[in-house]
Amino acid sequence: MRGSRAGGLRRAGWSVLVQGAAHHVPEDEVAKVSEAGVTPWAGGERHLYIRIVPQQMTGRRIHGL
């Protein structure tokens, strides 16, 4: 992340780690999962869906630089 010196822009976000078992989403559930409105951060189409059963979640807020 980067802040703008000229405009005083401050950026913030989250760093999240989810640990748990990962499984392919079965083909018969893909239509339902794809309608969840989640988009990849990196952009582009994705045709593989993974479900994570969380065992532990940690994270932190990242404040502007």
Side-chain angles (χ1 to χ4, degrees):
M1 290 192 290
R2 189 172 150 189
S4 168
R5 290 183 193 170
L9 178 64
R10 295 185 59 140
R11 295 189 175 210
W14 291 91
S15 173
V16 178
L17 176 63
V18 178
Q19 295 177 318
H23 308 278
H24 289 232
V25 172
E27 189 66 35
D28 61 333
E29 295 181 34
V30 167
K32 182 179 178 182
V33 171
S34 65
E35 294 174 358
V38 177
T39 56
W41 176 74
E45 285 190 40
R46 303 295 191 270
H47 301 286
L48 176 65
Y49 292 89
I50 303 292
R51 175 178 291 129
I52 300 173
V53 180
Q55 297 296 313
Q56 182 176 7
M57 293 177 62
T58 58
R60 65 185 179 118
R61 186 170 184 185
I62 300 170
H63 297 278
L65 301 172

